[in-house]
Amino acid sequence: HKKEKLKSRTELQAIFTTGKSFSVFPIKVFFIEKDRRDTSVPVHAGVGVSSKHFKKAVDRNRIKRLLREAYRLEKQSLHEA
């Protein structure tokens, strides 16, 4: 849904500056744990792909599509956890 997308510039900057991260090549995940007061949207997610490792835009767009689809399929288990 549109409410689940992470688009706010301030939230994105906060994730990169104060958030935690882990990586499993070639994917690196950044996240911030927040309080659970807002139950309408338990998780906000965004996808980005580095042009350093994937030079062609076609490749980056395909990877973003695959990541979004994988998230869509597995988000129910993430929301339950």
Side-chain angles (χ1 to χ4, degrees):
H1 294 281
K2 193 172 185 178
K3 293 180 181 179
E4 293 178 346
K5 291 183 181 178
L6 180 61
K7 296 185 281 187
S8 170
R9 184 174 298 270
T10 56
E11 287 183 1
L12 286 170
Q13 286 179 345
I15 287 175
F16 289 122
T17 57
T18 62
K20 299 176 185 176
S21 68
F22 66 91
S23 65
V24 179
F25 184 80
I27 298 170
K28 188 169 188 177
V29 177
F30 293 92
F31 64 96
I32 293 178
E33 297 179 26
K34 292 193 171 188
D35 55 355
R36 305 183 109 209
R37 291 181 200 157
D38 184 17
T39 58
S40 64
V41 182
V43 177
H44 289 241
V47 175
V49 179
S50 171
S51 60
K52 181 179 178 181
H53 296 292
F54 303 100
K55 300 293 184 188
K56 296 181 181 179
V58 174
D59 296 335
R60 291 193 302 272
N61 292 338
R62 177 173 165 75
I63 291 169
K64 287 190 278 189
R65 277 196 311 272
L66 292 171
L67 286 171
R68 283 193 290 264
E69 180 65 12
Y71 172 74
R72 185 187 70 82
L73 293 174
E74 297 296 327
K75 73 178 176 182
Q76 188 62 33
S77 61
L78 179 64
H79 290 206
E80 291 172 358

